[in-house]
Amino acid sequence: MVKAAYLHIPFCHHICHYCDFNKVFFQNQPVEAYLEAMDQEMKQTVSAFPTKELETIFVGGGTPTALDEKQLEQFLTSIRTHLPLANNGEYTFEANPNELTKEKLTLLKEYGVNRLSIGVQTFNEELLKTIGRVHTNEEVERLVKLAKEMGFSNISLDLMYGLPGQDLEMFHQSIEKALELDVEHISSYSLIVEPKTVFYNLMRKGKLHTPSEDDEAKMYGFLMDTLAKSNFNQYEISNFAKPGYESRHNLTYWDNEEYYGIGAGAHGYVGGVRRSNVAPIKRYMDLVEEKGFAYLDEHVVTVGEQLEEEMFLGLRKTKGVSKERFAEKFGQSIQSVFGEAIAEQAKLGLLTDEDGYVRLTTKGRFLGNEVFQAFLGIND
């Protein structure tokens, strides 16, 4: 049964230098027509793949808060009409600090949004310019204060490390500033330079100067240590929450459960099939009008792939992969499938196998991608 939905708003007023998500400049885009196409896709998706109610809805981008108030209400109305959210459901909107006004917050609150994910990335304002962000620290502080005053009690900040020109002290100051704002959740990711980004083009020209691997590791170590001392639980490699504020939507992915994907370039996983939508907005709208869906690809996940996904997604969680749940889900023990790989990674000090879970060690969190690779291709 589908428990979650991801909805993609691809419009941005500014394009960040590191971003490789599906996005376009807002100006001169057919925003209202795109929202109408999303409305139709929501309707068709729930009709084709019924669910009783969702536990989480996550709106990402692009920049969802780039929508003006009228467009935002149009979109929120569609979600309320087509996607049944449980009474205690988690409903998240991504937000830019300089775009989320009191009027937009009022709309979000009215339509049931109860979690905000604010894209801060750094509290160093020179570094913000370097990465193509246009907000200020004052706007972050204003938004967090205003959101709390309006009753939002589940606020997450996104921070990045390994950025060009960023040193250890800059990152330390960003973490300390985030803690001063007393939010419930912090996500912190290292920079990955992706193709088709400004940073990728600079890297190819030898003009992108990022911290050394050693300094990046020190940033991650500081992140884990400092947040642990501040009552944040590291429940996933890059995510930290005060008790009870873990992102239920993201846990849907890491628990390898099913979810709808709505919008241009969105991905979904329903009925054992992973589906991805076309990314170009005009093509997306045309396909939805013609067929009700805009699939670029539909991939039936084989049993072998399911086994691998259960491992490399589940190992992202601090608690790891449940051996009992694995056996119930697949009818075979985790040892019979991955015993050799688990033993090999444990010997390297990267995994532990205890208390009914296979999980990364602290050392393993620094080398997560290498560990995940050990579980790929075993069932080919």
Side-chain angles (χ1 to χ4, degrees):
M1 184 68 70
V2 182
K3 296 182 179 180
Y6 172 80
L7 299 101
H8 192 77
I9 299 295
F11 308 112
C12 295
H13 289 296
H14 301 275
I15 303 296
C16 301
H17 297 170
Y18 54 84
C19 181
D20 74 325
F21 294 116
N22 187 38
K23 77 282 183 186
V24 294
F25 279 112
F26 188 94
Q27 191 173 2
N28 299 322
Q29 294 295 331
V31 179
E32 290 81 6
Y34 176 79
L35 296 176
E36 289 170 8
M38 289 188 76
D39 179 274
Q40 184 65 19
E41 189 190 8
M42 287 182 227
K43 179 180 178 181
Q44 295 287 11
T45 298
V46 175
S47 176
F49 310 106
T51 191
K52 184 178 180 182
E53 60 183 13
L54 300 174
E55 295 180 5
T56 81
I57 295 173
F58 192 105
V59 181
T63 314
T65 50
L67 302 177
D68 66 27
E69 290 166 41
K70 183 177 179 181
Q71 294 160 347
L72 183 59
E73 185 158 24
Q74 176 186 346
F75 180 48
L76 291 166
T77 300
S78 291
I79 295 173
R80 174 179 283 181
T81 300
H82 300 300
L83 300 180
L85 184 66
N87 288 333
N88 65 341
E90 177 189 272
Y91 191 169
T92 304
F93 249 71
E94 287 186 347
N96 270 355
N98 57 316
E99 293 178 347
L100 195 45
T101 62
K102 184 175 182 179
E103 291 73 22
K104 291 181 183 180
L105 278 169
T106 299
L107 275 174
L108 295 181
K109 190 75 174 172
E110 178 184 341
Y111 280 84
V113 175
N114 53 26
R115 184 174 185 271
L116 300 176
S117 178
I118 303 173
V120 177
Q121 314 316 348
T122 177
F123 282 98
N124 182 288
E125 295 201 344
E126 284 303 311
L127 197 51
L128 284 172
K129 296 174 185 175
T130 298
I131 66 176
R133 302 289 287 175
V134 295
H135 69 263
T136 64
N137 290 348
E138 184 179 347
E139 287 170 327
V140 176
E141 294 167 15
R142 176 202 63 81
L143 175 56
V144 171
K145 183 175 184 287
L146 179 60
K148 288 181 178 182
E149 289 173 351
M150 296 180 67
F152 287 92
S153 58
N154 192 350
I155 298 173
S156 178
L157 303 183
D158 284 352
L159 297 173
M160 297 179 73
Y161 59 94
L163 295 171
Q166 186 181 41
D167 59 28
L168 295 171
E169 183 59 27
M170 288 179 187
F171 186 61
H172 293 183
Q173 290 173 356
S174 284
I175 295 298
E176 289 163 3
K177 185 64 178 177
L179 291 172
E180 287 175 12
L181 292 177
D182 192 27
V183 295
E184 290 71 34
H185 188 281
I186 293 174
S187 296
S188 190
Y189 299 88
S190 65
L191 172 68
I192 298 175
V193 180
E194 302 282 5
K196 300 180 182 179
T197 64
V198 172
F199 279 170
Y200 182 78
N201 292 333
L202 288 173
M203 183 182 71
R204 292 187 64 187
K205 296 174 183 177
K207 296 181 178 180
L208 189 72
H209 306 294
T210 55
S212 66
E213 287 185 9
D214 185 52
D215 278 350
E216 190 171 310
K218 288 178 181 176
M219 292 179 190
Y220 185 50
F222 176 85
L223 173 73
M224 291 193 289
D225 292 343
T226 304
L227 293 188
K229 292 173 184 175
S230 302
N231 197 34
F232 279 79
N233 169 44
Q234 183 179 11
Y235 67 100
E236 190 267 348
I237 287 178
S238 302
N239 284 271
F240 305 78
K242 291 180 179 178
Y245 289 95
E246 296 80 6
S247 170
R248 290 161 59 188
H249 184 83
N250 285 342
L251 284 168
T252 299
Y253 302 146
W254 303 320
D255 287 336
N256 204 16
E257 295 179 345
E258 297 190 338
Y259 55 95
Y260 299 136
I262 306 292
H267 294 247
Y269 181 36
V270 180
V273 181
R274 293 198 179 275
R275 298 173 174 86
S276 59
N277 283 349
V278 297
I281 290 171
K282 178 67 164 58
R283 181 65 176 147
Y284 165 80
M285 291 164 53
D286 288 345
L287 281 174
V288 171
E289 182 177 0
E290 179 185 343
K291 301 179 178 180
F293 301 100
Y295 300 143
L296 172 68
D297 181 65
E298 295 183 78
H299 174 70
V300 178
V301 183
T302 67
V303 173
E305 289 169 335
Q306 291 177 38
L307 294 167
E308 292 174 358
E309 289 176 355
E310 194 75 11
M311 290 302 296
F312 71 73
L313 291 171
L315 283 173
R316 292 192 64 90
K317 298 178 295 180
T318 305
K319 73 176 183 179
V321 180
S322 166
K323 295 163 77 171
E324 181 180 356
R325 184 175 184 268
F326 188 99
E328 289 175 355
K329 193 170 182 178
F330 299 108
Q332 50 191 319
S333 72
I334 200 169
Q335 288 295 335
S336 67
V337 183
F338 295 115
E340 187 175 327
I342 291 170
E344 178 184 308
Q345 296 301 306
K347 189 175 181 180
L348 294 171
L350 304 178
L351 282 184
T352 63
D353 180 359
E354 57 188 11
D355 305 324
Y357 285 84
V358 177
R359 61 173 65 89
L360 292 174
T361 62
T362 299
K363 178 182 176 182
R365 292 178 204 170
F366 285 88
L367 300 168
N369 288 334
E370 293 180 25
V371 180
F372 304 153
Q373 287 291 328
F375 295 94
L376 300 180
I378 292 176
N379 297 283
D380 290 348

